[in-house]
Amino acid sequence: MQDISRRSFIIGAGATALSLGAVGALIRKGVAVADIKNFDAKWIWPEGAEVNGVNDYAEFVDSFTPTNTNDLKIEIACESMYALYIDDELRYFAQSSDFPQKAQYKSNEYKLYDKLDISKFCTPGKKHNLRILIWHNPGKEGCQAFLSGEAGLIYQILQGNTKLTSSGKTTQSRTLENYWHGETMRLITGQMGFSFRYDKNGTITEFHDSAVNESKSNNFNLREILPLQLDPRVDGKIVKRYEDSVLYDLGKEYVGFLDIKFKNPKAQTIVVSYGEHICADEQGHGEGHVRRQVGGRDFSVDIKSNAGETVEYLNPFRRLGCRYLEISALKIDEKSKGDLPTEIDYIGIRPVMYPLEDKPYNFKNATMNKIYEACIWTLKCCMHEHYEDCPWREQCLYGMDSRNQMLCGYYAFEGHEYQRHNLILLAQSLREDNMIEICAPCNNNYPIPMFSYAFIIGAAEYIKYTKDKSILDHIKPAIDAIFTKSKAMMGANHYIPKFPHPFWNFIEWWNGSDSDSGILNLNNIFIIAHEKFKSATGISYLTEEELNNMRKTLDDKLYVSSKGEYCLDLEDRLKDLSSQLGNATAILAKLPNANENLANKILKDMQGESTGMVTASLSMRGFLYDALLEFNDPKYKKAVYDDILKNYTTMMDSGYFTGTFWEDERGQHAFSDAGSLCHGWSAIPIYYFNEYYS
């Protein structure tokens, strides 16, 4: 049996498939995202293996002999993740973040394939071995990071227009028994899906001809972003040796594949826990441990081997987001603690990165540069097959989170193919009810209406910064549907009411805007999205009269003249509650009483002279800054600058800084100790520093 733990891995796998100078060429006239590709190949899976299961692994082997290495490529698609080896060296890996046929989506199907250069790995006239590992459906029902169809792999290797080999019945395959399958493996989180257990001595099954699935669609869209690259291992440094565990520090947050070499003293399972911070044990003793279990989540992976065996292992599928790693052991019966490995040669993370070309920066002081540098690293840790909210806990593409990330990216990095790809992916999640899903792709059912509007804001900003209106061919149907749905919700009332079940009327994580927010922010952000899209494209969905009727209605219902502020809603506690965010979005939506007097009230509240407003969270602070900067007064510009420095230096000066910025000002203590310390939406100083303070 071929040992999937073998140690020959190319550094920077896929990084040179296209030079960074070719990034801009990805947005080209030659192949549009809407173009459909038909493979001259078959969808295959091991004969007799489950095709609708979860957490299943399979292995496929083939060979090919090129006559030359000009224009030598592989075209490949799968459900759900693949690792591609040529001559037993890992060359490419990817997660298939797309939309296999699912009835709840209007697009019904949007299946991506990768077109990968393999010329540099091959020799003319030499027979090369191809091996592809597949991890199918890593998340059970409710997962927000995967949407998987029937299990399968399809590929073809082409030399120019000549096919050298392709997937079919005679492709040799087998289930991969080195990994635990099915729901016996624990979930890391509901959003991310399953952890893994690798067994070095798993049952060996024989290769056989593959089963062909003729019912799966053979139509594909090209994934028009660069392949992810695998960087050299970052070794963990020992922080503390405990009686039954060893704690390692990577120095800062990294996101990538676990890479480890150790020897077991007995037949047992090594457990590697990972996290962004350490804490004392339950009795408050010790210098700290990785917080493995947090509210039903389990941030750990397993490696099993026999006594005296040396295990050299890199997992090519599951990315870990962490600063700390901790090794412990279980006895073979899985019910009690085992003994630590007699030798741990190394443990670390092989960072998985999207290839980027940074734009230069040099701001007026060291603090700004330090914040900016950490913001850049935060963005990079949250960019893989698509934008991620946080790499530790979720790894999901949200319409709101990614809007912040896209905006920062125009200033931070060269090219814009990545933003384009994410917007098109979000548009494919359009539901039958004419709003986009909570994540793209997603196997859940509680969409957030405001995130649909944030997606439109992101689309408008994309067109503003890139002048690439061709994207409308791919995303405008979703935008049309969202505006049509919202206008229908509005009816003759001149405002959008709260959405009914299954929608989640969420705005942000603070009081009054979390589980059941009011109509103020929802309507204001709808107006903002409409006006930004109209400004970028010239396309309008509401007349000026309809917009003014909305503004007047919101003003009549929600403006509290005695306070000179807007309340969040018409009913219950929200009618007596105002927020920084709600009043800031009122300014941006140009409600009648949203004037500079209101901006001054927001400013005083932001600076600690409390007027009773609910504070805007880190995720939404950009709306607050934009509202203040609407007014041409240096005091607002200074206030925004001071607020950014205060919030971000507080994170940097804390004892929990990982080189990245947080999901929430409360850090790891947010959300019952599940707050992430690396979150893409928090990189927003990149935009403000460049736009206002460079």
Side-chain angles (χ1 to χ4, degrees), residues 146-179:
F146 298 94
L147 184 64
S148 191
E150 288 185 340
L153 165 69
I154 187 169
Y155 66 86
Q156 56 190 16
I157 294 181
L158 303 174
Q159 186 174 290
N161 295 321
T162 302
K163 185 173 71 172
L164 301 184
T165 189
S166 64
S167 55
K169 180 177 176 57
T170 59
T171 304
Q172 298 298 287
S173 63
R174 62 185 175 186
T175 57
L176 195 59
E177 301 300 332
N178 296 74
Y179 288 94

Side-chain angles (χ1 to χ4, degrees), residues 200-262:
K200 192 174 189 300
N201 300 287
T203 304
I204 298 175
T205 58
E206 297 298 319
F207 283 106
H208 295 283
D209 286 354
S210 297
V212 172
N213 188 343
E214 298 283 2
S215 66
K216 280 182 73 69
S217 172
N218 202 16
N219 295 333
F220 304 92
N221 300 84
L222 177 64
R223 190 197 316 265
E224 290 196 314
I225 57 174
L226 294 171
L228 297 174
Q229 68 184 45
L230 189 64
D231 286 353
R233 183 180 67 247
V234 176
D235 286 304
K237 308 300 181 187
I238 294 177
V239 176
K240 183 72 174 180
R241 293 183 183 271
Y242 295 96
E243 181 180 351
D244 56 4
S245 69
V246 184
L247 179 66
Y248 295 84
D249 185 359
L250 299 172
K252 68 175 183 177
E253 181 100 10
Y254 287 95
V255 185
F257 298 148
L258 176 67
D259 194 3
I260 187 172
K261 182 180 180 181
F262 67 92

Side-chain angles (χ1 to χ4, degrees), residues 471-485:
I471 195 173
L472 292 175
D473 294 340
H474 316 295
I475 67 173
K476 190 171 178 291
I479 293 172
D480 290 344
I482 294 167
F483 279 123
T484 300
K485 166 82 170 183

Side-chain angles (χ1 to χ4, degrees), residues 164-373:
L164 301 184
T165 189
S166 64
S167 55
K169 180 177 176 57
T170 59
T171 304
Q172 298 298 287
S173 63
R174 62 185 175 186
T175 57
L176 195 59
E177 301 300 332
N178 296 74
Y179 288 94
W180 276 24
H181 291 236
E183 296 190 41
T184 56
M185 197 63 217
R186 59 184 172 270
L187 290 173
I188 296 176
T189 66
Q191 292 91 342
M192 286 177 62
F194 293 102
S195 179
F196 65 83
R197 172 169 291 179
Y198 168 69
D199 184 350
K200 192 174 189 300
N201 300 287
T203 304
I204 298 175
T205 58
E206 297 298 319
F207 283 106
H208 295 283
D209 286 354
S210 297
V212 172
N213 188 343
E214 298 283 2
S215 66
K216 280 182 73 69
S217 172
N218 202 16
N219 295 333
F220 304 92
N221 300 84
L222 177 64
R223 190 197 316 265
E224 290 196 314
I225 57 174
L226 294 171
L228 297 174
Q229 68 184 45
L230 189 64
D231 286 353
R233 183 180 67 247
V234 176
D235 286 304
K237 308 300 181 187
I238 294 177
V239 176
K240 183 72 174 180
R241 293 183 183 271
Y242 295 96
E243 181 180 351
D244 56 4
S245 69
V246 184
L247 179 66
Y248 295 84
D249 185 359
L250 299 172
K252 68 175 183 177
E253 181 100 10
Y254 287 95
V255 185
F257 298 148
L258 176 67
D259 194 3
I260 187 172
K261 182 180 180 181
F262 67 92
K263 181 184 286 187
N264 255 334
K266 60 178 68 173
Q268 62 181 9
T269 298
I270 295 301
V271 181
V272 179
S273 305
Y274 66 95
E276 295 177 318
H277 69 280
I278 55 176
C279 58
D281 62 24
E282 293 180 359
Q283 290 75 40
H285 302 144
E287 294 182 19
H289 296 272
V290 168
R291 192 189 296 272
R292 170 184 166 183
Q293 295 176 317
V294 184
R297 309 167 186 88
D298 194 323
F299 298 95
S300 64
V301 300
D302 297 347
I303 306 169
K304 186 177 179 180
S305 67
N306 291 331
E309 281 190 314
T310 296
V311 179
E312 226 176 332
Y313 175 69
L314 181 144
N315 180 279
F317 296 119
R318 171 59 76 194
R319 292 190 305 272
L320 311 184
C322 58
R323 173 175 172 174
Y324 297 98
L325 299 165
E326 188 164 5
I327 295 179
S328 56
L330 296 171
K331 288 183 179 177
I332 202 69
D333 61 9
E334 312 301 337
K335 295 179 181 178
S336 55
K337 292 180 179 179
D339 295 335
L340 288 173
T342 53
E343 299 173 13
I344 303 174
D345 286 9
Y346 56 77
I347 180 172
I349 294 291
R350 292 287 298 274
V352 173
M353 306 295 291
Y354 186 79
L356 293 162
E357 184 177 349
D358 295 358
K359 290 184 177 180
Y361 65 90
N362 185 21
F363 297 102
K364 61 184 179 182
N365 60 56
T367 300
M368 290 180 72
N369 285 318
K370 188 176 179 182
I371 291 171
Y372 195 87
E373 180 181 351

Side-chain angles (χ1 to χ4, degrees), residues 638-658:
K638 182 179 185 304
V640 168
Y641 175 82
D642 290 344
D643 193 71
I644 291 173
L645 261 62
K646 180 188 72 174
N647 289 324
Y648 283 78
T649 55
T650 297
M651 286 185 270
M652 289 192 302
D653 293 341
S654 74
Y656 297 100
F657 186 57
T658 63

